[in-house]
Amino acid sequence: MSFILSAFHFCRAFSHQRMSLAAYCVICCRRIGTSTPPLKSITYWRDIRNIIKFTGSLILGGSLFLTYEILALKKSLTLDTQVVEREKMKSYIYLQTVSLDKRENYGITYQARKELHKAVRKLLATSAKILRGPFADTFSTVDVEDHECAVWLLLRKSQSGDRAARLQAVQEMSETHHWQDYQYRIIAQACDLRTLIGLARSKESDLRFFLPPPPLPSLKEDSSIEEELRQLLASLPQTELDECIQYFTSLALSESSQSLAAQKGGLWCFGGNGLPYAESFGEVPSATVEMFCLEALVKHSEISTHCDKIEANGGLQLLQRLYQLHKDCPKVQRNIMRIIGNMALNEHLHSTIVRSGWVSILAEAMKSQRIMEASHAARTLANLDRETMQEKYQDGVYVLHPQYRTSQPIKADVLFIHGLMGAAFKTWRQQDTEQVLTEKILEDEGRYTTCWPKTWLARDCPALRIISVEYDTSLSDWRTRCPMERKSIAFRSNELLRKLRAAGVGDRPVIWVSHSMGGLLVKKMLLEASKKPEMNAVINNTRGIIFYSVPHHGSHLAEYSVNIRYLLFPSLEVKELSKDSPALKTLQDDFLEFAKDKNFQVLNFVETLPTYIGSMIKLHVVPVESADLGIGDLIPVDVDHLNICKPKKKDAFLYQRTLQFICETLAKDLEN
């Protein structure tokens, strides 16, 4: 019964609550149906936000990383000097104008390819930096054409801190001959002092590497070159000078009239070639004064402090003007070269000499067919070149070979010392012939050479450094170039020994080649060097000596002074050559003992024919008995005193025997 009642109540309750239960079920279903989708939506958007945060951070970090790497790349690849960028802009003026030829109009396709190539280069440079690839050190930030990359890379390499890299860059530049004009100008404008001098001393260098000298300042109103030279000379210190410098200075400042120039009748030239200046100079007083001023400036330029004064007072520009004005006067140009070469001995003046435009002039002179002009330029450039040269070549010391930079190792030195009235070049020329004199074939090396050591010996023995020395001599005090300058053999030997040691003589094996009084100087130099510990290297490295008609026992030259105009008042040099000279006998005895002790190899040549002196007399200057040193071979040759050191041709006995002696004496040194 109770069960029935319970069922009844449940049914009644259920009937009353059907609607609410149904509503409740609907609500629950709705809750069940809608609860899951909101949870999924929240998770989805949360994931999107997380992805955005991660991606944004990645992009930002990557951008910062790439920016840093690009800036680091730019910094590492930027050239060391700002001058390159400036000179790049300047170089645009050398670009050729746009051609009007339609065939050269590449159009939009060419421009598109050009821009694409630029983009690819930048991409390669960036990737190389990131990946540390092999291109990392070879690309530049300079935006240039493909064929121009080599120019800028060589420029950067030439300014490297590595000396070997700099030398290689200069060599590569000098061997390049396919560039356009403006590319040579880029190098000329952007290279440093070392590179410019190196190019000037490279045999294959194109002259387009050198900018023309800057415009010279105008002369002062109502002034002339003669007056400017005199003012320059007058501005130099006149105290604490030796007597000869004072003499030449006063002479240059006073000699301004035609009558005085004519009275002098010409002066002996500083080069010691024994040829007086033409009396015709008296017809042009200004030319005479210019020559005298240059003679004085040569002497002043041997003093370092005077070189500073010459530079400060505009001497470099004034000498350049004079050099250009006298292109047809080799004597004037040689004296100017001597002054510049002496100034180049002072390293603090190098930058000034380069800026004044002298390097382009010297580079052009180096390529001259005239041996004297090229040798003077070679001396000056060697003094400027501190990259490859330790030696310094003072006035009168000339390198005949090698005059350019070379990869050929130099294993020995051969020194040529001329004699009385001789010269560094003309003493060693090929023997003159009638054909040469009439046809004036002076520079055709295949037929005639004006300096056989430079032309023949350098070709046969390229491993030799060949030096020729020049000093002043005179036959008579009538025409001595400086009345107060009475230099004995002893004085000259010490002077030359000092200059040769500064040029590095003694650092490698040496052979001395001498003519006439030059042989006496060689003997005296070696004896003096043996007494000085700092000169021991000269003695220890001397291998042999060649004497061409050297008057070891004196000469008859001074005995004929009565009949010869130039010997009416024989000079000190001539007096020292007389047979009864006690100084000459002492020199011979001392050297003979010294040479035997050192076991020097010796070769003696002697003339057998008399020499014509003037038109009045002929004289056997050095007889056979006087040319006999007492050691070594003595070879008589059928020539006169002047031609004993001048072979007729390359296959002549004189040259071939000389070459044989040099090769045999230096055989071991040249093999090493």
Side-chain angles (χ1 to χ4, degrees), residues 572-642:
L572 179 60
E573 296 97 330
V574 174
K575 291 178 181 178
E576 287 190 323
L577 297 181
S578 62
K579 282 181 171 291
D580 57 353
S581 170
L584 193 61
K585 186 178 186 306
T586 302
L587 176 62
Q588 166 62 17
D589 294 340
D590 292 346
F591 183 78
L592 184 59
E593 181 181 357
F594 173 71
K596 288 180 178 179
D597 179 63
K598 294 298 181 180
N599 195 27
F600 293 151
Q601 299 299 306
V602 176
L603 177 63
N604 303 280
F605 292 101
V606 61
E607 79 249 23
T608 61
L609 301 180
T611 302
Y612 284 89
I613 301 179
S615 59
M616 300 177 61
I617 196 169
K618 62 181 180 179
L619 172 67
H620 200 162
V621 180
V622 180
V624 175
E625 62 271 14
S626 182
D628 187 2
L629 177 63
I631 56 174
D633 295 337
L634 177 62
I635 303 176
V637 184
D638 292 333
V639 292
D640 61 20
H641 186 70
L642 297 179

Side-chain angles (χ1 to χ4, degrees), residues 561-576:
S561 61
V562 175
N563 297 318
I564 305 175
R565 174 173 176 250
Y566 293 128
L567 297 181
L568 287 173
F569 300 99
S571 65
L572 179 60
E573 296 97 330
V574 174
K575 291 178 181 178
E576 287 190 323

Side-chain angles (χ1 to χ4, degrees), residues 73 123-137 139:
L73 173 68
L123 179 61
L124 285 175
T126 304
S127 63
K129 183 67 178 180
I130 296 174
L131 302 176
R132 304 292 180 182
F135 297 105
D137 293 330
F139 276 87

Side-chain angles (χ1 to χ4, degrees), residues 471-542:
Y471 58 96
D472 306 326
T473 63
S474 62
L475 281 175
S476 171
D477 280 345
W478 268 31
R479 294 215 173 189
T480 183
R481 294 173 45 255
C482 174
M484 288 74 71
E485 186 177 50
R486 300 179 62 85
K487 294 183 177 179
S488 64
I489 291 177
F491 181 91
R492 293 186 189 278
S493 65
N494 282 307
E495 185 179 45
L496 290 179
L497 186 61
R498 174 181 56 82
K499 290 183 177 182
L500 291 175
R501 193 67 190 101
V505 173
D507 294 340
R508 53 177 72 93
V510 182
I511 285 184
W512 305 78
V513 183
S514 60
H515 174 235
S516 189
M517 194 186 81
L520 304 180
L521 281 174
V522 171
K523 291 161 62 176
K524 190 64 177 178
M525 277 191 285
L526 292 176
L527 286 174
E528 291 298 321
S530 66
K531 302 174 185 178
K532 302 176 181 179
E534 66 274 16
M535 296 292 180
N536 282 341
V538 176
I539 302 300
N540 296 334
N541 276 317
T542 293

Side-chain angles (χ1 to χ4, degrees), residues 20 29 88 204 277 390 445-446 454 532 550 578 596 624 626:
S20 60
C29 290
K88 179 195 171 188
E204 302 299 327
Y277 291 134
Q390 288 75 46
E445 294 183 353
K454 182 182 187 303
K532 302 176 181 179
V550 174
S578 62
K596 288 180 178 179
V624 175
S626 182

Side-chain angles (χ1 to χ4, degrees), residues 311-349:
E311 183 274 325
N313 294 330
L316 290 172
Q317 292 76 18
L318 183 60
L319 291 172
Q320 191 177 125
R321 184 189 302 277
L322 194 61
Y323 185 91
Q324 301 291 357
L325 186 64
H326 290 280
K327 289 184 177 180
D328 57 344
C329 186
K331 290 180 182 179
V332 171
Q333 291 192 331
R334 285 199 297 270
N335 273 337
I336 294 174
M337 284 284 192
R338 290 176 66 193
I339 297 170
I340 303 301
N342 290 344
M343 295 180 68
L345 292 169
N346 305 282
E347 294 187 31
H348 65 279
L349 294 178

